[in-house]
Amino acid sequence: GDNYDYMSALAVLTAFAVLGIGLMYVIKKEPRLCEPQNFISAACWCVWTCLLLLPAMHERYAYLLDILLLAAAALNRKNIPFAIVAAVSSAVCCGIYLFGSQINLQAVAAVYLAAYSCFTYFTVKASKLSD
């Protein structure tokens, strides 16, 4: 959103903490990141985490996630719903800006967060299966 009162060191520290937990998981569990599916999934998760947790991240920064999720969907059909949610969310946010649409952004954010949570769960689950 446009509320920059929340731009604080706490938000940045939270993002770094979550990314650090992800890095610790990669170091400890050693998933096979040389495999394209695992590499793209890890990249998607890092970008998505930054988009959700860093302050003042607008929809224009989500283009990388949209491209990565499209590649992930091409590699594994199970990622198609995540690519759809990200693309629709980007389109809705751009539509609000361009056309002044009246859409409940809290609902869009809730779906986006749920998709991120499911993606995180399935990525971790898939990395455990590839061990």
Side-chain angles (χ1 to χ4, degrees):
D2 291 331
N3 189 352
Y4 296 110
D5 293 338
Y6 295 110
M7 289 179 63
S8 66
L10 181 61
V12 174
L13 290 174
T14 302
F16 280 126
V18 172
L19 289 170
I21 290 169
L23 179 61
M24 287 175 35
Y25 177 81
V26 168
I27 290 170
K28 185 173 180 176
K29 297 294 183 179
E30 297 180 5
R32 296 180 181 169
L33 292 180
C34 58
E35 294 177 11
Q37 174 60 39
N38 292 345
F39 181 80
I40 294 292
S41 293
C44 288
W45 184 82
C46 288
V47 171
W48 212 340
T49 299
C50 290
L51 284 170
L52 282 175
L53 298 178
L54 289 175
M57 296 298 283
H58 294 282
E59 67 279 349
R60 64 181 170 262
Y61 302 117
Y63 71 93
L64 179 59
L65 178 64
D66 294 341
I67 293 169
L68 286 172
L69 282 173
L70 185 62
L75 291 171
N76 187 349
R77 288 184 171 190
K78 293 180 180 180
N79 290 324
I80 290 174
F82 304 117
I84 290 171
V85 167
V88 168
S89 175
S90 293
V92 165
C93 290
C94 287
I96 290 170
Y97 174 75
L98 292 173
F99 307 113
S101 303
Q102 299 297 322
I103 295 176
N104 185 356
L105 280 180
Q106 285 80 13
V108 174
V111 171
Y112 202 65
L113 180 62
Y116 167 77
S117 300
C118 290
F119 184 81
T120 300
Y121 173 77
F122 290 128
T123 299
V124 170
K125 183 177 173 184
S127 71
K128 285 183 180 179
L129 294 176
S130 68
D131 288 343

